[in-house]
Amino acid sequence: MKHELSLLSAAQAAEAIRSGRISSEALVKTCLDRIRHSEPDIGAWAHLVPEEALEQARAADLIRKSGRATGALHGVPVGLKDIVDTKDMPTEQGSQINAGRRPDADARLVERLREAGAVIMGKTVTTEFAYLRPSSTRNPANTLHTPGGSSSGSAAAVAARHVPLAVGSQTGGSVIRPASFCGVFGFKPTRGTISRSGLLRTSATLDQVGVFANSLSDAALLVDVIGGYDQTDPASFARPRAGLLKGAQADVPVEPTIAWFDMPYHDRLAPDAQAGLETVISTLGARVERFSPRPELADLVNVHKTIYDYEITEIFAETVAANIGAVSQELQNAIKRGQSISLDQYQDALAVKASAEQFFARFFNDFDAILSPAASGEAPLICEGHTGDAVYCTAWTLAGLPSLSLPLLVGENDLPVGVQLIGAAEEDDRLLRTAGWIQRSLAGHQSENGE
């Protein structure tokens, strides 16, 4: 039974704890055992707090036994990307410059996790300042390969069943790509759904919070818990949020309509990933409509880059100048690019971003979702020195659209390959409902064909 606890979904674990069938302490001990067994090979954790986690679990069990209220994640372990501030453990943001940094307060999303009864297991490894320099984490599917970035440790920890849930962030493709590489569900909800207060900022415009899980429902449950309005975050919207767990578990009222854009950068796809995606499109049949995008749509990748380089320079130029020997070449290069971008160019890029948001608002009047690659294929080898190509994610991130990586494909080296699904802004429940339909449709097709 002990080994099986780590295979429970977060929703199953929370229900089992609330009903008294298992204890939070037993679940946390099982997770810690798994971490001790595989962490030396994977390196998912920047800071682990075993004793503190067990204390949180015992407190959760006492609360349940006393008959007091329990939350949606009562006693369930969660990992946090090491850019999320926590008052009781370091938040070093993947940089030696911040070694030993201890925030004075929890991030807003950590407050929500504590209110829901979650057990904070520790901080997962991130790339340096959540940018491009690869971290030391390795892919649980094959430790010779990268888990992706920048949310490398969060994706790896969930894939290795160290924790059922983890929080990450995405400014380009830092949730969707690691989820694809590690074979888990990665979900970045609509921009502004989850507060960024208490998180490292690299781009005030583009930074967004996302999550990792081993099921669609678990990803939805976590966002339901940590989402909410925060007046201190300019991107946070003061409107009700859709019920995502309800959406993930719902049946579609009618079969959805799905779009596929033949983007020019799809020539970067590995042959096995291209073949797998074509099989998905073929299986879904008439529900998918293919488009040749206008140049303006394909150029959103460059618009994203302009905004990102300009804003990361505003935030990090002084830090880089003062710590040139302790900062990666990748970040130094971004600062150089950002310093060459004029204010007019930046403002033009912001105007194009606003136009793209309006375009997609109209587009989703006719379509339930956009189907897209999540990454170029299987995870690259670590020796290649990079965390993969984010180009398949940046247009959707720019527009703030909810995006989901579904672990549907396997590449030629038996490594996971995700399929990305993008939905309408603030209609994340509709996106998850469509994703559930796609999963069931593909599984039914495989069953019919004896696969």
Side-chain angles (χ1 to χ4, degrees), residues 32 47-54 56 88-90 120-123:
L32 290 171
H47 188 76
L48 190 68
V49 289
E51 290 306 316
E52 291 88 339
L54 287 170
Q56 293 175 65
D88 54 358
M89 64 186 78
I120 309 300
M121 293 284 282
K123 315 305 277 293

PDB file of all heavy atoms in Angstrom, residues 32 47-54 56 88-90 120-123:
ATOM      1  N   LEU A  32       8.694  11.241   0.247  1.00  0.00           N
ATOM      2  CA  LEU A  32      10.090  11.434   0.663  1.00  0.00           C
ATOM      3  C   LEU A  32      10.934  10.202   0.346  1.00  0.00           C
ATOM      4  O   LEU A  32      12.111  10.316  -0.029  1.00  0.00           O
ATOM      5  CB  LEU A  32      10.155  11.763   2.154  1.00  0.00           C
ATOM      6  CG  LEU A  32       9.616  13.144   2.541  1.00  0.00           C
ATOM      7  CD1 LEU A  32       9.533  13.274   4.057  1.00  0.00           C
ATOM      8  CD2 LEU A  32      10.507  14.253   1.963  1.00  0.00           C
ATOM      9  N   HIS A  47      15.674  22.931  -2.826  1.00  0.00           N
ATOM     10  CA  HIS A  47      15.617  22.998  -1.355  1.00  0.00           C
ATOM     11  C   HIS A  47      14.472  22.116  -0.897  1.00  0.00           C
ATOM     12  O   HIS A  47      13.303  22.392  -1.189  1.00  0.00           O
ATOM     13  CB  HIS A  47      15.398  24.444  -0.897  1.00  0.00           C
ATOM     14  CG  HIS A  47      15.520  24.624   0.590  1.00  0.00           C
ATOM     15  ND1 HIS A  47      16.743  24.648   1.235  1.00  0.00           N
ATOM     16  CD2 HIS A  47      14.582  24.782   1.551  1.00  0.00           C
ATOM     17  CE1 HIS A  47      16.543  24.815   2.536  1.00  0.00           C
ATOM     18  NE2 HIS A  47      15.246  24.892   2.749  1.00  0.00           N
ATOM     19  N   LEU A  48      14.799  21.052  -0.182  1.00  0.00           N
ATOM     20  CA  LEU A  48      13.808  20.105   0.316  1.00  0.00           C
ATOM     21  C   LEU A  48      13.750  20.208   1.836  1.00  0.00           C
ATOM     22  O   LEU A  48      14.788  20.337   2.492  1.00  0.00           O
ATOM     23  CB  LEU A  48      14.192  18.683  -0.112  1.00  0.00           C
ATOM     24  CG  LEU A  48      13.166  17.580   0.103  1.00  0.00           C
ATOM     25  CD1 LEU A  48      11.974  17.780  -0.831  1.00  0.00           C
ATOM     26  CD2 LEU A  48      13.797  16.213  -0.151  1.00  0.00           C
ATOM     27  N   VAL A  49      12.532  20.143   2.399  1.00  0.00           N
ATOM     28  CA  VAL A  49      12.373  20.294   3.848  1.00  0.00           C
ATOM     29  C   VAL A  49      11.632  19.074   4.407  1.00  0.00           C
ATOM     30  O   VAL A  49      10.453  19.163   4.788  1.00  0.00           O
ATOM     31  CB  VAL A  49      11.632  21.611   4.190  1.00  0.00           C
ATOM     32  CG1 VAL A  49      12.529  22.803   3.925  1.00  0.00           C
ATOM     33  CG2 VAL A  49      10.335  21.750   3.388  1.00  0.00           C
ATOM     34  N   PRO A  50      12.297  17.930   4.513  1.00  0.00           N
ATOM     35  CA  PRO A  50      11.612  16.706   4.952  1.00  0.00           C
ATOM     36  C   PRO A  50      10.949  16.820   6.317  1.00  0.00           C
ATOM     37  O   PRO A  50       9.780  16.444   6.473  1.00  0.00           O
ATOM     38  CB  PRO A  50      12.742  15.666   4.967  1.00  0.00           C
ATOM     39  CG  PRO A  50      13.763  16.191   4.014  1.00  0.00           C
ATOM     40  CD  PRO A  50      13.709  17.675   4.155  1.00  0.00           C
ATOM     41  N   GLU A  51      11.653  17.320   7.316  1.00  0.00           N
ATOM     42  CA  GLU A  51      11.082  17.380   8.662  1.00  0.00           C
ATOM     43  C   GLU A  51       9.932  18.377   8.732  1.00  0.00           C
ATOM     44  O   GLU A  51       8.894  18.111   9.355  1.00  0.00           O
ATOM     45  CB  GLU A  51      12.169  17.740   9.680  1.00  0.00           C
ATOM     46  CG  GLU A  51      13.172  16.624   9.900  1.00  0.00           C
ATOM     47  CD  GLU A  51      12.496  15.307  10.277  1.00  0.00           C
ATOM     48  OE1 GLU A  51      11.560  15.330  11.120  1.00  0.00           O
ATOM     49  OE2 GLU A  51      12.891  14.252   9.732  1.00  0.00           O
ATOM     50  N   GLU A  52      10.119  19.516   8.068  1.00  0.00           N
ATOM     51  CA  GLU A  52       9.053  20.515   8.059  1.00  0.00           C
ATOM     52  C   GLU A  52       7.829  19.987   7.322  1.00  0.00           C
ATOM     53  O   GLU A  52       6.685  20.250   7.720  1.00  0.00           O
ATOM     54  CB  GLU A  52       9.546  21.813   7.416  1.00  0.00           C
ATOM     55  CG  GLU A  52      10.590  22.564   8.230  1.00  0.00           C
ATOM     56  CD  GLU A  52      12.016  22.105   7.931  1.00  0.00           C
ATOM     57  OE1 GLU A  52      12.188  20.974   7.426  1.00  0.00           O
ATOM     58  OE2 GLU A  52      12.930  22.890   8.212  1.00  0.00           O
ATOM     59  N   ALA A  53       8.055  19.236   6.230  1.00  0.00           N
ATOM     60  CA  ALA A  53       6.937  18.660   5.484  1.00  0.00           C
ATOM     61  C   ALA A  53       6.169  17.663   6.351  1.00  0.00           C
ATOM     62  O   ALA A  53       4.929  17.638   6.347  1.00  0.00           O
ATOM     63  CB  ALA A  53       7.446  17.984   4.216  1.00  0.00           C
ATOM     64  N   LEU A  54       6.900  16.850   7.096  1.00  0.00           N
ATOM     65  CA  LEU A  54       6.235  15.893   7.984  1.00  0.00           C
ATOM     66  C   LEU A  54       5.476  16.604   9.096  1.00  0.00           C
ATOM     67  O   LEU A  54       4.381  16.161   9.497  1.00  0.00           O
ATOM     68  CB  LEU A  54       7.275  14.929   8.572  1.00  0.00           C
ATOM     69  CG  LEU A  54       7.827  13.890   7.595  1.00  0.00           C
ATOM     70  CD1 LEU A  54       9.022  13.158   8.196  1.00  0.00           C
ATOM     71  CD2 LEU A  54       6.729  12.889   7.199  1.00  0.00           C
ATOM     72  N   GLN A  56       4.050  19.546   8.798  1.00  0.00           N
ATOM     73  CA  GLN A  56       2.833  20.047   8.141  1.00  0.00           C
ATOM     74  C   GLN A  56       1.809  18.919   7.986  1.00  0.00           C
ATOM     75  O   GLN A  56       0.607  19.115   8.197  1.00  0.00           O
ATOM     76  CB  GLN A  56       3.166  20.610   6.765  1.00  0.00           C
ATOM     77  CG  GLN A  56       4.020  21.861   6.748  1.00  0.00           C
ATOM     78  CD  GLN A  56       4.386  22.238   5.317  1.00  0.00           C
ATOM     79  OE1 GLN A  56       3.534  22.586   4.505  1.00  0.00           O
ATOM     80  NE2 GLN A  56       5.675  22.167   4.997  1.00  0.00           N
ATOM     81  N   ASP A  88       9.480  30.587   4.968  1.00  0.00           N
ATOM     82  CA  ASP A  88      10.121  29.619   5.856  1.00  0.00           C
ATOM     83  C   ASP A  88      11.192  28.773   5.164  1.00  0.00           C
ATOM     84  O   ASP A  88      11.663  27.789   5.727  1.00  0.00           O
ATOM     85  CB  ASP A  88       9.070  28.706   6.482  1.00  0.00           C
ATOM     86  CG  ASP A  88       8.182  28.034   5.435  1.00  0.00           C
ATOM     87  OD1 ASP A  88       8.359  28.312   4.235  1.00  0.00           O
ATOM     88  OD2 ASP A  88       7.309  27.235   5.833  1.00  0.00           O
ATOM     89  N   MET A  89      11.577  29.143   3.959  1.00  0.00           N
ATOM     90  CA  MET A  89      12.661  28.439   3.269  1.00  0.00           C
ATOM     91  C   MET A  89      13.260  29.351   2.205  1.00  0.00           C
ATOM     92  O   MET A  89      12.618  30.320   1.791  1.00  0.00           O
ATOM     93  CB  MET A  89      12.169  27.123   2.660  1.00  0.00           C
ATOM     94  CG  MET A  89      11.145  27.266   1.573  1.00  0.00           C
ATOM     95  SD  MET A  89      10.462  25.671   1.006  1.00  0.00           S
ATOM     96  CE  MET A  89       9.311  25.316   2.339  1.00  0.00           C
ATOM     97  N   PRO A  90      14.467  29.072   1.740  1.00  0.00           N
ATOM     98  CA  PRO A  90      15.102  29.955   0.755  1.00  0.00           C
ATOM     99  C   PRO A  90      14.349  29.995  -0.570  1.00  0.00           C
ATOM    100  O   PRO A  90      13.659  29.047  -0.947  1.00  0.00           O
ATOM    101  CB  PRO A  90      16.490  29.326   0.567  1.00  0.00           C
ATOM    102  CG  PRO A  90      16.715  28.483   1.765  1.00  0.00           C
ATOM    103  CD  PRO A  90      15.367  27.984   2.170  1.00  0.00           C
ATOM    104  N   ILE A 120       3.713  21.984   1.732  1.00  0.00           N
ATOM    105  CA  ILE A 120       4.776  22.527   0.888  1.00  0.00           C
ATOM    106  C   ILE A 120       6.033  21.698   1.117  1.00  0.00           C
ATOM    107  O   ILE A 120       6.649  21.763   2.180  1.00  0.00           O
ATOM    108  CB  ILE A 120       5.047  24.012   1.196  1.00  0.00           C
ATOM    109  CG1 ILE A 120       3.748  24.810   1.174  1.00  0.00           C
ATOM    110  CG2 ILE A 120       6.058  24.566   0.203  1.00  0.00           C
ATOM    111  CD1 ILE A 120       3.000  24.784  -0.123  1.00  0.00           C
ATOM    112  N   MET A 121       6.416  20.915   0.106  1.00  0.00           N
ATOM    113  CA  MET A 121       7.543  19.996   0.250  1.00  0.00           C
ATOM    114  C   MET A 121       8.896  20.665   0.078  1.00  0.00           C
ATOM    115  O   MET A 121       9.902  20.185   0.593  1.00  0.00           O
ATOM    116  CB  MET A 121       7.415  18.874  -0.777  1.00  0.00           C
ATOM    117  CG  MET A 121       6.232  17.957  -0.541  1.00  0.00           C
ATOM    118  SD  MET A 121       6.499  16.798   0.814  1.00  0.00           S
ATOM    119  CE  MET A 121       7.553  15.583   0.007  1.00  0.00           C
ATOM    120  N   GLY A 122       8.936  21.765  -0.666  1.00  0.00           N
ATOM    121  CA  GLY A 122      10.202  22.423  -0.917  1.00  0.00           C
ATOM    122  C   GLY A 122      10.176  23.157  -2.230  1.00  0.00           C
ATOM    123  O   GLY A 122       9.118  23.354  -2.838  1.00  0.00           O
ATOM    124  N   LYS A 123      11.373  23.561  -2.677  1.00  0.00           N
ATOM    125  CA  LYS A 123      11.516  24.362  -3.888  1.00  0.00           C
ATOM    126  C   LYS A 123      12.194  23.530  -4.975  1.00  0.00           C
ATOM    127  O   LYS A 123      13.250  22.918  -4.749  1.00  0.00           O
ATOM    128  CB  LYS A 123      12.350  25.617  -3.598  1.00  0.00           C
ATOM    129  CG  LYS A 123      11.971  26.343  -2.337  1.00  0.00           C
ATOM    130  CD  LYS A 123      10.499  26.717  -2.291  1.00  0.00           C
ATOM    131  CE  LYS A 123      10.223  27.972  -3.037  1.00  0.00           C
ATOM    132  NZ  LYS A 123      10.840  29.153  -2.387  1.00  0.00           N
TER     133      LYS A 123
END
